[in-house]
Amino acid sequence: MSLADRVLYLAYDPGISPKGGGLPGLSVLKNVVNSINLFGIIAVVGALAVSLAVWAWGHHTGGHQAEANGKKGATVAAGAALGLGAANGIVQFFSALGSQVH
């Protein structure tokens, strides 16, 4: 294969793009992913409540390690909530960005 043929082979557009409704069970899969996302958000609410309680308990008892762990837990829970809430937008953003690559 010559160099020109290799370049043409790499530049070939296979014509693949995401299409809804192509496979059976897509709505079921969407419901499962939505449920997993909801479960994650509920778990994050619980983790945030526990972390804030540990933070407050550590602060009021003078337990600096507990206070630091509560702060870390609250920060991680807030980050997880941000990620779960923004998951659809993040994937959509990078999918649109990736579709602009030619």
Side-chain angles (χ1 to χ4, degrees):
M1 185 182 271
S2 71
L3 180 61
D5 289 337
R6 288 183 192 167
V7 170
L8 286 175
Y9 180 75
L10 289 175
Y12 175 72
D13 180 14
I16 304 297
S17 62
K19 179 181 177 188
L23 290 174
L26 188 60
S27 63
V28 173
L29 182 60
K30 285 180 182 180
N31 284 336
V32 169
V33 172
N34 287 338
S35 297
I36 290 170
N37 196 0
L38 176 63
F39 179 79
I41 289 171
I42 292 170
V44 165
V45 170
L48 182 61
V50 169
S51 296
L52 293 174
V54 169
W55 185 358
W57 176 75
H59 177 75
H60 289 294
T61 62
H64 301 294
Q65 187 69 32
E67 184 178 0
N69 286 337
K71 286 179 186 179
K72 282 189 275 187
T75 304
V76 169
L82 177 67
L84 286 168
N88 195 37
I90 291 169
V91 171
Q92 201 171 32
F93 171 77
F94 283 108
S95 178
L97 193 64
S99 68
Q100 294 177 5
V101 175
H102 295 287

